[in-house]
Amino acid sequence: MKTLVAALAVAAAVAVPSPASAAEPAWAPAATAAVHPGVQTSTGGQQCTANFVFYDSAGTVYLGQSAHCASRSGPTVTNGCQAQTFPIGQQVTVGGATRPGTMVYNSWVAMKDAGENAATDVCRYNDFSLVRLDPADWARVNPSVPFWGGPGALAQGAASFTEVYTYGNSSLRLGFTPVSPKQGYTVNNNPSGGWTHTVYTVSPGIPGDSGSAFLDASGNALGTLSTVSATGSNGVGNLANELAYARSHGFASLELALGTVAFAPLV
């Protein structure tokens, strides 16, 4: 009898889909979705650009943005373990949404709560937060990156001098359309755990583009725009590391939503 019960238990386990796959929402068509990667967000009056769409085992839908979009310490304080932020629960205005979202995770808050050492790369470069969308807006969401398509998967990193693709949406491009699909290259990668990538794009990301999604040469989700340099380069946080940290700090079932539109770079 024990053998039969065990066999039935195994069969039942095999037949049940994984929580993540069972919970993936039914996305709106990409052509008509009002909420997607690249929409503008505003946290405490600070404008940023959303990166990727995420969901969890409960079917909750999130948009990603940079942690520093909620900073209260000004643009010169970029170490997440030293900066002050708006609190978890802060409302976030999301372009295309009918209701405000809610900041439910911020890596800068999580790192301080965990007592991370401010001298480490995780404090310098882990720059990611989650905005939980109001359920009224979930049916308005599509996870495809506009113009480029994708992501097709989560990238683990990128070698130097490989192509990257991004989509900024800064309101500071006065007199020009704020939407700016860009192509560029990685230059080097931080050797300590791969937390950041230095990239050059034409044109470079500017304030307001912060948080923008970066795709690698294959259209996989590489990272999120974190910093702007006087040399014209941008620092891009490694999304695989940022997601791993979020999963180990309260969001264990968090999943990257893959695009419904195939990645199609310009040739």
Side-chain angles (χ1 to χ4, degrees), residues 149-212:
L154 177 63
Q156 295 304 308
S160 296
F161 306 108
T162 55
E163 290 180 313
V164 292
Y165 302 86
T166 186
Y167 182 91
N169 197 353
S170 175
S171 60
L172 297 181
R173 293 186 178 88
L174 300 178
F176 301 92
T177 175
V179 174
S180 180
K182 299 185 284 290
Q183 182 176 355
Y185 291 87
T186 61
V187 176
N188 58 58
N189 299 299
N190 185 279
S192 300
W195 274 99
T196 187
H197 309 275
T198 300
V199 303
Y200 283 88
T201 59
V202 181
S203 62
I206 63 175
D209 289 332
S210 293
S212 301

Side-chain angles (χ1 to χ4, degrees), residues 27 44 51 63 97 103 113 144 149 165 181 201 204 208 232 251 254:
W27 305 116
N51 45 69
L63 273 183
M103 185 177 70
D113 287 347
S144 305
Y165 302 86
T201 59
F251 289 82
L254 189 67

Side-chain angles (χ1 to χ4, degrees), residues 53-141:
V53 175
F54 304 88
Y55 64 96
D56 63 19
S57 60
T60 305
V61 180
Y62 308 87
L63 273 183
Q65 68 172 12
S66 288
H68 79 257
C69 296
S71 175
R72 301 180 72 175
S73 295
T76 61
V77 182
T78 58
N79 188 305
C81 296
Q82 297 173 334
Q84 299 301 310
T85 65
F86 286 100
I88 297 300
Q90 173 73 28
Q91 286 197 333
V92 179
T93 302
V94 177
T98 62
R99 300 179 184 179
T102 304
M103 185 177 70
V104 293
Y105 169 80
N106 185 299
S107 62
W108 287 12
V109 174
M111 292 188 299
K112 284 186 284 188
D113 287 347
E116 299 282 2
N117 184 339
T120 61
D121 280 357
V122 63
C123 285
R124 295 189 184 104
Y125 301 118
N126 187 11
D127 188 8
F128 180 73
S129 66
L130 288 170
V131 178
R132 184 183 63 214
L133 296 176
D134 190 283
D137 290 309
W138 293 356
R140 301 167 61 84
V141 179

